[in-house]
Amino acid sequence: MIYQANINSQRMLHDFDRVLIWSAILLLSLGLVMVYSASIAIAEAGRNTGGYAAHFLVRHSAYLLVGLLVGLIAFQVPTQAWQKYSFHLFLLGMLLLVLVLIPGIGREVNGSRRWLSLLVVNLQPSEFMKLFMVIYAADYTVRKTAHLDSFRKGFLPMLIAMLVIGLLLLREPDFGAFVVITIIAMAALFLGGVNLKLFVGLISFLVAGLLTLIWVEPYRMQRIVGFMDPWIDPYGKGYQLSHALIAFGRGEWLGVGLGASVEKLFYLPEAHTDFLLAVIAEELGFIGVATVVALFSGLVIRAFVIGRQAAMRERHFAALVAQGIGVWLGVQAFINMGVNMGVLPTKGLTLPLMSFGGSSIVANCVALAVLLRVDWENRQLMRGFAV
């Protein structure tokens, strides 16, 4: 019986992409450890934490458990069902974004209204809107394949949808989520074979729009100025970036040791969320950061390989969903890392699968479950089984 159980477990492993699974497991596990390390001082001094050092560890563990359970449920859903209800999910995301802006329903924190209070936890709709956009954009591209050379029939509906989403997100404001969602939609159209001239024109329009949004908002311009030279005003506009760079400098090759970060001791703002990578750099050094980059690279590459395998079997919706998830996680990770390293202007985006945040962790786990479902269906079809 033990021998048979081992054979069954080996067969089960062959039903999944092991590189993808191990990359996700290692990122989630390292994230849990580093969130605890980065948040101990904040938890001990916080009024809402009762001085309990493991406050954020317990909450993050709970979010991970919920994310894995919801992901397990999402894995049971065939990709055809995701495609069938893609527009309904898109409308649900839009409704949640509207509810966030209604006084008394949406919760405001630090000047931003991005959360819906669910008594025990807060729900951040923009995180789930990223997943819904992946699914909707994939379905839209497949349905509009014959019209992707036409601006009116191929581009205009998606452009209108993006403008509405952008209006809602900028009212919160959540500029970072808008950028990620826009990139997801554009990537789906590009991968779907859109007319190159129209695509370049639309990209130019969107870039001009994003630059205008930065220009008209003083706080966004201040972030650009602080990004260009954080040492001009290290206690003001350049505060976050200057301390992130100090953390990277202190880490050198091997880091100062797990738990030994100084910058997390109330110097580096949002150490357990937006600037978790800076704490990793300080405590685990270049080796730690390189490991994180390698794991994300492996995850994104496998997402595109899974998408290509689906496309070879003429499963075009599944292919675009897999590649869309790869674009989402890869772009958001790239932006977060770029901000931490001073390569990009400061933007409030978490590091996927690692940073503290319930909505982000659950949405990421569901996305990975959908990606694994695409891979599983590919393998079943390769063996001649129906899915």
Side-chain angles (χ1 to χ4, degrees), residues 299-343:
L299 191 152
V300 172
I301 290 171
R302 296 313 301 172
F304 273 83
V305 170
I306 291 169
R308 185 185 64 185
Q309 292 169 347
M312 291 172 61
R313 292 165 177 79
E314 297 187 353
R315 305 178 62 234
H316 301 297
F317 170 77
L320 289 174
V321 166
Q323 293 170 345
I325 291 172
V327 169
W328 164 22
L329 298 180
V331 166
Q332 183 162 331
F334 176 80
I335 293 175
N336 178 274
M337 292 176 185
V339 167
N340 277 253
M341 297 178 187
V343 179

Side-chain angles (χ1 to χ4, degrees), residues 157-359:
M158 179 59 79
L159 180 60
I160 293 173
M162 293 307 304
L163 290 175
V164 173
I165 292 174
L167 178 63
L168 293 173
L169 289 172
L170 293 174
R171 289 288 297 171
E172 295 184 6
D174 195 344
F175 186 71
F178 178 48
V179 170
V180 172
I181 289 173
T182 300
I183 293 174
I184 290 170
M186 294 302 99
L189 291 173
F190 178 77
L191 294 169
V194 74
N195 180 283
L196 187 58
K197 290 182 179 179
L198 288 175
F199 182 77
V200 171
L202 184 58
I203 289 295
S204 302
F205 171 77
L206 290 172
V207 169
L210 292 175
L211 291 176
T212 301
L213 290 172
I214 294 173
W215 181 265
V216 299
E217 283 290 347
Y219 79 93
R220 294 191 186 118
M221 280 301 299
Q222 289 175 1
R223 287 181 176 180
I224 297 295
V225 173
F227 156 71
M228 296 300 291
D229 189 353
W231 307 110
I232 292 178
D233 187 11
Y235 298 104
K237 302 181 184 71
Y239 183 79
Q240 291 176 307
L241 179 54
S242 61
H243 281 282
L245 294 176
I246 291 171
F248 272 86
R250 293 191 74 246
E252 298 184 349
W253 286 97
L254 299 177
V256 297
L258 184 63
S261 168
V262 172
E263 286 300 317
K264 70 183 181 183
L265 303 178
F266 307 105
Y267 294 104
L268 187 63
E270 310 297 337
H272 59 307
T273 56
D274 299 349
F275 285 91
L276 185 67
L277 188 70
V279 178
I280 294 175
E282 186 177 2
E283 296 189 349
L284 305 182
F286 173 81
I287 299 301
V289 174
T291 300
V292 172
V293 172
L295 290 172
F296 271 111
S297 299
L299 191 152
V300 172
I301 290 171
R302 296 313 301 172
F304 273 83
V305 170
I306 291 169
R308 185 185 64 185
Q309 292 169 347
M312 291 172 61
R313 292 165 177 79
E314 297 187 353
R315 305 178 62 234
H316 301 297
F317 170 77
L320 289 174
V321 166
Q323 293 170 345
I325 291 172
V327 169
W328 164 22
L329 298 180
V331 166
Q332 183 162 331
F334 176 80
I335 293 175
N336 178 274
M337 292 176 185
V339 167
N340 277 253
M341 297 178 187
V343 179
L344 296 173
T346 303
K347 182 89 295 296
L349 281 175
T350 57
L351 188 60
L353 303 172
M354 299 189 72
S355 293
F356 177 80
S359 298

Side-chain angles (χ1 to χ4, degrees), residues 11-32:
R11 287 177 178 173
M12 186 176 296
L13 281 175
H14 285 301
D15 285 338
F16 301 98
D17 190 309
R18 281 176 283 185
V19 174
L20 175 64
I21 289 177
W22 279 111
S23 295
I25 289 174
L26 291 173
L27 286 170
L28 290 169
S29 302
L30 181 59
L32 180 65

